[in-house]
């Protein structure tokens, strides 16, 4: 009876695919091709199976480690554009690191800060939501600016705008309004709405607010009014 290696190359390939690291699809295809080629060579001469098993497993294991290392480099270096909604929401739930932006003197409906031309709203005078702080982050290759607002002592939100091409989103409760798709989800105990403004992902999360309030806030630029 011939001795089999503890794991086949195909099993190692499945392990690589299961790794939760955003490696490029091209890298996965290349690894699949290499493993397939190696399997064909390794099993072509069955009489060498017993002696070749440790070497074959060693090569496959080394290949797996190489894939993991490459995937980690891609995932951690900012080369991937796979920004997740969870990451974006997490930024809106962190504390501010800078003072609140000032009012834009040229447009009293906006604050004097924007992300690639997409401005943050000024809500204080008309709606009672005052800006309380801001923060700047970088996640998965995207710059993310967040402005925080509060109304009273028990309602607050974080409003994030993501620079660059907006990532694909799915799931949640979808509502269409004025040609814009809004998605409502729950993350870390907060209610969240996401949508696109001029091709940029916007994320508003809040505590002590209803979905109706989030919708009114998200659609402020097109509705011109706020309801709670």
């Amino acid at each position: 009876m011939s001795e089999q290696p503890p794991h086949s190359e195909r099993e190692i390939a499945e392990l690589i695919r299961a790794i939760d690291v955003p490696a490029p699809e091209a890298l996965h295809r290349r690894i699949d091709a290499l493993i397939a080629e190696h399997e064909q060579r390794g099993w072509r001469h069955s009489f060498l199976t017993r002696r070749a098993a440790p070497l074959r497993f060693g090569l496959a294991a080394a290949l797996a480690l190489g894939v993991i290392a490459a995937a980690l480099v891609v995932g951690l270096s900012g080369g991937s554009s796979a920004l997740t909604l969870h990451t974006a929401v997490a930024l809106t739930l962190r504390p501010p690191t800078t003072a609140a932006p000032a009012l834009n003197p040229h447009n009293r409906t906006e604050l004097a800060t924007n992300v690639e031309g997409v401005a943050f709203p000024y809500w204080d005078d008309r709606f009672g939501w005052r800006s309380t702080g801001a923060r700047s982050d970088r996640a998965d290759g995207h710059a993310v600016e967040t402005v925080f607002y509060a109304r009273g002592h028990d309602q607050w939100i974080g409003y994030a705008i993501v620079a660059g091409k907006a990532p694909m989103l799915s799931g949640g409760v979808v509502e269409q309004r004025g040609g814009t798709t809004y998605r409502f989800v729950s993350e870390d105990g907060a209610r969240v709405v996401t949508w696109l403004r001029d091709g940029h992902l916007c994320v508003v999360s809040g505590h002590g607010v209803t979905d109706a309030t989030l919708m009114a806030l998200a659609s402020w630029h097109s509705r011109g009014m706020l309801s709670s």
Side-chain angles (χ1 to χ4, degrees):
M1 180 182 295
S2 63
E3 180 180 344
Q4 296 298 322
H7 296 282
S8 70
E9 291 87 352
R10 181 56 54 192
E11 289 173 328
I12 293 175
E14 294 301 323
L15 173 63
I16 292 171
R17 294 189 189 97
I19 297 171
D20 188 18
V21 176
E25 182 62 28
L27 177 59
H28 286 289
R29 289 198 300 268
R30 177 58 177 159
I31 293 307
D32 286 342
L34 288 173
I35 290 176
E37 179 182 352
H38 184 62
E39 283 181 336
Q40 291 174 2
R41 291 201 309 266
W43 294 99
R44 187 172 298 162
H45 303 289
S46 58
F47 66 90
L48 292 177
T49 299
R50 182 183 181 87
R51 294 183 179 180
L55 177 59
R56 184 171 62 252
F57 175 69
L59 289 174
L63 184 59
L65 291 175
V67 172
I68 294 171
L72 287 174
V73 167
V74 172
L76 298 179
S77 66
S80 170
S81 61
L83 176 71
T84 66
L85 178 58
H86 179 78
T87 299
V89 172
L91 297 179
T92 68
L93 300 177
R94 293 180 181 177
T97 57
T98 62
L103 173 65
N104 183 347
H106 305 293
N107 187 337
R108 296 188 63 83
T109 67
E110 299 176 349
L111 297 176
T113 187
N114 67 82
V115 175
E116 298 176 347
V118 180
F120 287 90
Y122 173 73
W123 287 326
D124 197 357
D125 288 346
R126 296 178 60 190
F127 309 128
W129 286 88
R130 70 186 187 283
S131 53
T132 59
R135 65 178 297 125
S136 298
D137 296 280
R138 191 165 188 84
D140 299 314
H142 294 264
V144 183
E145 297 291 332
T146 305
V147 173
F148 301 90
Y149 300 82
R151 183 170 68 173
H153 299 289
D154 57 354
Q155 291 182 305
W156 61 267
I157 64 168
Y159 188 138
I161 301 177
V162 181
K165 183 180 179 181
M168 297 295 294
L169 297 178
S170 61
V173 176
V174 176
E175 183 172 340
Q176 299 279 345
R177 181 170 297 182
T180 300
T181 300
Y182 298 90
R183 296 182 183 274
F184 293 87
V185 298
S186 292
E187 284 276 347
D188 297 327
R191 292 299 296 163
V192 182
V193 61
T194 68
W195 75 103
L196 299 183
R197 283 180 58 201
D198 297 331
H200 291 71
L201 174 64
C202 294
V203 179
V204 172
S205 69
H207 286 277
V209 293
T210 65
D211 285 357
T213 296
L214 291 178
M215 172 58 81
L217 294 171
S219 58
W220 69 276
H221 57 288
S222 60
R223 295 186 61 188
M225 56 185 295
L226 180 67
S227 59
S228 56

